[in-house]
Amino acid sequence: MTHHDALSTTDSHARTIRLGEHTITVLTDGGVQLHPLHWFPDSVWDDWSAPGASPLDGTGHIPAPITALLVEHRDRSLLIDSGYGAHSVAAEDTIATIGGLYGGQLPAELARHGREGADVDTVAFTHLHDDHVGWAFGAGPDAPRLFSRATFVASAAEWATGEHRAGEAVTRAVDPGEEFFPGVRAWATPGHTNGHTAYVISAGGRRLIAFGDVFHVPDQIARPGWTCAMDALPEQAVRTRHAMVAELIRPDTLAFATHFPAGPLGQVRARGGIPRWTALDA
């Protein structure tokens, strides 16, 4: 996998939007290859050759970006998830569900938008998997601590399994429904992990849901009942996906999709009675 393979599918799509007084920007750290049948064991190859399916790369994987979301409000900055960090792992050194994966671009992405890590006062994690906490907990052996003044936020259930990774950083647990940053509330969305949390940004009469790994590819929007091999609680994850689709389809709702190759910002609309992901154009 080349870096271009994982990122090229998002080039024509919106990466920054305004929501009231909030500026919301997608930052790309790297990418990962998802094996469609191993990642989604309920699927078959015909699902991935059907019209509208997520495209596969030359090795038969879904090239998925690894992204984070920068939320700026007045003089404050929140980052939702923090990428994979300055790492690169070849496909032959990973597990059956994925191919290669890499990170490393987040600091440059912040700089491109006039920010550096020290400007971020809060980092909120949807969950504590490596591709979501990389620059916070494991940036790389030669990488400096990027978020020198940030408080790290996650659900209590998620910290219970991984708080030791935070080292000397300031951490705190966020409760479901709590507004911990202006206009941003936590929403408990267990399934992918026990303590998985989505974040709802409400401003200007609209809302944006950063749903983390509730979904990994747009194909799941139409098939929320598909199991995912990486979900810790598969049955709960299916229930959470159904509940999420019911919220995403509301007309006032946008979403941020951490790994979608078909555009990271979008909305869900019913087409032919089936919910579908529609990416926002640049």
Side-chain angles (χ1 to χ4, degrees):
M1 178 183 67
T2 66
H3 290 194
H4 178 73
D5 290 334
L7 304 179
S8 59
T9 52
T10 65
D11 289 347
S12 65
H13 298 117
R15 303 187 71 81
T16 299
I17 60 172
R18 290 277 297 180
L19 220 64
E21 294 186 3
H22 295 69
T23 299
I24 299 171
T25 303
V26 177
L27 306 176
T28 298
D29 186 50
V32 58
Q33 294 174 302
L34 308 179
H35 190 288
L37 301 192
H38 294 161
W39 198 271
F40 303 109
D42 295 336
S43 73
V44 296
W45 280 119
D46 284 350
D47 292 321
W48 304 102
S49 59
S54 291
L56 307 184
D57 64 18
T59 67
H61 290 84
I62 304 164
I66 296 173
T67 60
L69 194 68
L70 178 65
V71 182
E72 299 171 282
H73 179 266
R74 299 182 183 175
D75 62 346
R76 296 192 60 189
S77 296
L78 160 72
L79 193 69
I80 297 177
D81 290 330
S82 68
Y84 184 53
H87 309 283
S88 181
V89 184
E92 56 268 25
D93 296 323
T94 59
I95 57 178
T97 50
I98 64 175
L101 73 162
Y102 71 94
Q105 300 177 10
L106 188 61
E109 284 274 273
L110 282 167
R112 191 162 65 88
H113 293 280
R115 293 286 185 178
E116 56 185 29
D119 296 326
V120 176
D121 61 77
T122 306
V123 179
F125 303 111
T126 57
H127 61 299
L128 301 182
H129 285 173
D130 287 349
D131 58 326
H132 293 256
V133 303
W135 282 101
F137 297 166
D142 300 318
R145 182 181 173 193
L146 189 59
F147 307 110
S148 57
R149 71 180 191 92
T151 297
F152 293 164
V153 172
S155 71
E158 201 68 11
W159 283 132
T161 64
E163 188 165 14
H164 63 282
R165 303 184 64 185
E168 298 179 357
V170 177
T171 65
R172 80 175 186 89
V174 64
D175 295 325
E178 178 184 349
E179 183 176 359
F180 64 94
F181 184 91
V184 183
R185 295 183 182 275
W187 175 14
T189 50
H192 187 60
T193 65
N194 184 48
H196 191 284
T197 300
Y199 297 103
V200 184
I201 305 163
S202 301
R206 295 189 296 170
R207 64 178 184 167
L208 182 144
I209 301 175
F211 54 65
D213 282 6
V214 172
F215 303 100
H216 292 91
V217 295
D219 313 71
Q220 291 174 281
I221 300 289
R223 300 176 176 89
W226 269 2
T227 56
C228 172
M230 301 303 288
D231 287 340
L233 305 170
E235 293 182 359
Q236 178 60 60
V238 168
R239 291 192 291 271
T240 292
R241 282 192 286 275
H242 279 286
M244 182 66 71
V245 168
E247 292 297 318
L248 292 176
I249 207 163
R250 286 175 42 176
D252 62 343
T253 300
L254 303 172
F256 163 58
T258 306
H259 296 300
F260 278 19
L265 296 171
Q267 51 195 171
V268 173
R269 294 292 177 262
R271 298 200 294 271
I274 299 173
R276 304 283 187 185
W277 176 258
T278 301
L280 300 182
D281 291 330

